[in-house]
Amino acid sequence: MTLTETRPEPEAVAAGGDTGLPAPSSPDRWTPPTGLAGILSTGDHQVIGKLFIAFALVLSGLALALGVLLGIEQADIDGGFGVFGNANEVFQVFALYRTTLILCGLVPLFLGVAAVVVPGQLGSSSVAFPRALAAAFWTWLVGSITHVVATFSYGGLGSLQADAARGQSVELTVLSLGMIAVGLLTATGVVFATLVTQRPPGMDLLAVPAFSWSMLVATGVWLFSLPVLLANLMISWVDMRGASALRFGGGDAPFEQIAWAFDAPQVYAWTIPMLGIAAEVFVSAHRSRPLMFEPMAVVVGLFGLLSFGAWAQRFFDSADPTAPDAHIVTNEVPFVAFALAIAVAVLAYSGWLAYNAAAAGQRPQISPQFGLVLFAGVLLTAAVVAGVVRVAEPALGVLREFDGDVWRGFFDAMDDLEGSSLVTGMMNFAVLGGLLAGVAALFHWAPRLFGAPLGAPLGYLSGLALAGGAILVGLTSALGGFFDQPDRPYEAGDAPYAPGHFDRIDALGFVEALNVIGLIGAIAVLGGLVLVALNVARSLTGSNQAGAD
C-alpha cells in the first residue's frame, strides 16, 4: 500500500458499505462445449457408447459390402466377373472382410451397448473409467479407418507373392490392426472393471441381469484373447522387418498369424453377449422373470471358457502334414473336444430358454427383437453343428480300424471338409448371428440408447432381410464345402486367380448356383443393416424433436 492510498474504516467494512476498493469481478461460469467440440472432448459413457454403436454399424456395412464383392466374384468361379484384378486383391479383401466384420463391427457394437446398458443395470451413474473408455473409442476408430485405408492403398495383411509384402503398406495395416486391438482391449477392461467394482452393496455377480453376466464372461475371455492377437501382430512385424535369422515364420502373409481369431473356437468368443441379449429379450417377451438363473449363468460361463481359441493357431502346424508325428491342431483332441462341448453348451442353453417359455404359461409378445434373437439362436446352432461336422472325421477316427468299403467313403468326405468353405459357413453363421443379436439389443434398449423406441414396421422388414440373408450366406457356404469348394476363394479359380484349383470342385455349376444364392443373401443382409441404420437415425431425430418441443 502506497502513502497516497487510504485504508477503509473498519466500521464501513463491517456495515458492508463502500470500502474504497474496486469490486472483484466475478469469473465467467464454465459451460461444457457443444457440437463437434463436445463430442471430441466428452467423457460421458452414454455418448461414447452411442459413438461405438454408430461407427460399428457403418463399418459392419462396409464389411458386408466387401462380402458382396467376394460373392460376385465367386458366382463365376472358373471365369470371374473381373471385380478383382489378381489373386492378391482377392486375398486382401478376404482378410479385410473378416477383420472389419468382427473387430470393427460386431465386438464394438456389443461394447457400445454395454457402455450404456450395463451401468444402468448395476444402478451405477457411470462406468468405472469413463475417460479410458473415451480413449479406447478414439484409438479404435482411428485404427479402424487407417486399417481400411491402408488395405486399399496397396496394403492388406500380406501378399501371396514371395517378398512382396516389404514393398507394400503392409506395415501400416498391421500397425492399424494393433491400434484396433488396443482400443478394444481398453474398452473391454473398462466394462469388466465396471461389472466388478460398480455393483451396489449386496449385489453379487450372480445377481446381475443376464446381459451384464454375459458381458462379464465375454470381457473376461476377450481380456485373454486380444493380448494374444497383439502378440501375433508383433511376431508378424518381426517377420517382415527383421533379418532372416530373427524370423518366426513367413513374413509375407501376416493374416496367417491371426487367422485363428476368425476360426473356431475363437469365433464363438466374439458372440458371447448374444446369450445374455437372448435371455433378456426372451424373458421380457414372455412377461416373466428368469427362472433357474444360476444354471444358465454356469452354461454361459462354460460357453465362454470353451470358446477361448488363442491356443488353436494353425499357423504353427507342422510343415509336412503327412509326417507320422505331424502336429495338425484341427486333428488334436482338445480341438475336437471343444467343438463337441460347445455344441452341448448351446443345447443346454436352448433347454433353459424352452424351460422359461413353458414356465411362463403364456404366448410371447411378438416384436422385432424377439424375432431377431430367435433367428440369432438358429444361426448359432447352425454354426456349432457345422463345427461338429467339421471334426467328425478326427472324432470318429477309431472307426478307421474297421474302415471297409463303407467307412472309406465317409472318411474321404470328412477329410475334404477341413479347409473347405464349410469353415467360412461356420464363421458366417456365428458372426452374423451375433450381428442379429446386437441389432435386437438396439431394439430392446432403444429408449435408453436413443431416447425413443425404434419403429416396429421398419424393424420387422429389416429383421426379415437380416435373418433370411444370413441364413442364405451361411448355408450356401457350408453346403459348398461338401463339394470341395475351398475356404480361401483366391485358391479356387484359374485366371485371375493363381494357382488354379477350380477343377477340384465337384459339380462346379451347382456350386456356382449356390454362390449366386449366397450373393443374394449377402445383399439382403446389407440391405437389412441399412434399414436398421435408417431406423436408428429416425429414432434419434424424433427424440431430438421431442426434446426441442
Side-chain angles (χ1 to χ4, degrees):
M1 180 178 292
T2 61
L3 296 175
T4 58
E5 292 177 342
T6 58
R7 185 182 298 275
E9 296 296 332
E11 294 80 0
V13 176
D18 186 11
T19 62
L21 298 177
S25 60
S26 59
D28 294 335
R29 193 171 183 181
W30 179 84
T31 56
T34 58
L36 181 61
I39 294 176
L40 293 175
S41 61
T42 185
D44 187 349
H45 68 101
Q46 296 190 9
V47 176
I48 297 299
K50 294 174 185 177
L51 289 173
F52 260 122
I53 293 171
F55 283 97
L57 290 176
V58 171
L59 292 170
S60 296
L62 174 61
L64 294 173
L66 296 175
V68 170
L69 293 179
L70 289 172
I72 293 174
E73 193 68 22
Q74 287 185 274
D76 187 14
I77 297 176
D78 55 345
F81 286 104
V83 177
F84 303 103
N86 52 59
N88 272 332
E89 293 181 3
V90 181
F91 167 66
Q92 290 160 8
V93 173
F94 171 85
L96 184 62
Y97 168 73
R98 282 154 172 74
T99 55
T100 307
L101 184 61
I102 294 178
L103 299 178
C104 301
L106 181 64
V107 175
L109 177 61
F110 285 144
L111 289 173
V113 174
V116 179
V117 174
V118 166
Q121 290 190 336
L122 301 180
S124 174
S125 60
S126 180
V127 295
F129 303 103
R131 287 294 178 183
L133 183 65
F137 167 74
W138 293 113
T139 303
W140 166 80
L141 181 62
V142 172
S144 299
I145 296 174
T146 306
H147 184 65
V148 174
V149 173
T151 301
F152 285 109
S153 301
Y154 199 55
L157 288 172
S159 173
L160 299 179
Q161 300 174 358
D163 297 326
R166 292 174 178 263
Q168 303 175 2
S169 56
V170 177
E171 293 91 342
L172 183 59
T173 308
V174 173
L175 176 63
S176 62
L177 192 57
M179 291 182 64
I180 294 172
V182 169
L184 294 178
L185 183 62
T186 306
T188 296
V190 170
V191 174
F192 185 84
T194 301
L195 286 161
V196 173
T197 64
Q198 300 298 100
R199 289 176 289 110
M203 176 185 284
D204 57 25
L205 289 175
L206 288 178
V208 300
F211 176 66
S212 292
W213 172 257
S214 68
M215 285 305 304
L216 179 68
V217 176
T219 52
V221 175
W222 298 349
L223 283 174
F224 285 95
S225 303
L226 290 171
V228 180
L229 180 63
L230 283 170
N232 284 117
L233 294 173
M234 293 177 64
I235 293 175
S236 299
W237 187 276
V238 173
D239 284 346
M240 287 187 297
R241 305 299 298 176
S244 299
L246 298 177
R247 291 192 178 186
F248 295 91
D252 298 312
F255 174 76
E256 302 301 332
Q257 285 264 15
I258 63 170
W260 61 269
F262 318 111
D263 197 356
Q266 183 63 37
V267 70
Y268 301 121
W270 310 124
T271 67
I272 296 172
M274 83 154 63
L275 302 179
I277 295 171
E280 298 262 6
V281 173
F282 203 82
V283 172
S284 176
H286 286 85
R287 300 176 296 280
S288 61
R289 298 182 62 85
L291 303 176
M292 299 183 66
F293 183 86
E294 289 80 6
M296 184 274 294
V298 172
V299 170
V300 174
L302 179 63
F303 181 88
L305 176 65
L306 295 171
S307 64
F308 176 72
W311 56 271
Q313 301 194 25
R314 290 191 289 172
F315 178 79
F316 299 102
D317 282 352
S318 299
D320 183 10
T322 61
D325 57 346
H327 168 75
I328 307 297
V329 68
T330 55
N331 292 336
E332 299 293 334
V333 173
F335 189 88
V336 175
F338 275 44
L340 299 177
I342 286 176
V344 174
V346 171
L347 181 62
Y349 184 82
S350 303
W352 180 82
L353 291 177
Y355 172 78
N356 275 266
Q362 53 186 336
R363 293 183 178 180
Q365 183 178 0
I366 304 300
S367 62
Q369 56 265 35
F370 182 73
L372 284 167
V373 296
L374 281 182
F375 281 107
V378 171
L379 291 170
L380 180 60
T381 303
V384 298
V385 169
V388 170
V389 173
R390 178 186 180 184
V391 301
E393 189 272 335
L396 302 176
V398 67
L399 296 178
R400 285 187 181 274
E401 299 179 5
F402 310 99
D403 191 8
D405 294 335
V406 176
W407 292 114
R408 182 172 295 109
F410 169 79
F411 284 118
D412 289 343
M414 294 298 106
D415 280 333
D416 292 338
L417 290 179
E418 183 56 45
S420 71
S421 61
L422 175 72
V423 179
T424 299
M426 179 192 64
M427 187 210 72
N428 283 326
F429 275 136
V431 177
L432 295 180
L435 184 62
L436 261 66
V439 173
L442 300 185
F443 279 92
H444 187 63
W445 287 297
R448 187 180 302 180
L449 293 170
F450 312 118
L454 299 180
L458 197 58
Y460 287 118
L461 182 60
S462 61
L464 181 63
L466 285 169
I471 292 174
L472 292 179
V473 170
L475 185 60
T476 53
S477 296
L479 290 178
F482 289 94
F483 296 90
D484 296 334
Q485 180 176 222
D487 178 34
R488 311 291 176 89
Y490 46 86
E491 298 176 351
D494 202 351
Y497 308 109
H501 298 294
F502 68 89
D503 54 334
R504 302 179 184 177
I505 300 176
D506 297 331
L508 181 61
F510 178 72
V511 172
E512 289 180 339
L514 286 177
N515 292 339
V516 171
I517 297 174
L519 172 62
I520 296 173
I523 296 174
V525 175
L526 178 59
L529 192 66
V530 171
L531 292 178
V532 171
L534 292 176
N535 208 342
V536 170
R538 181 181 177 184
S539 176
L540 289 173
T541 303
S543 63
N544 292 337
Q545 183 62 39
D549 294 340

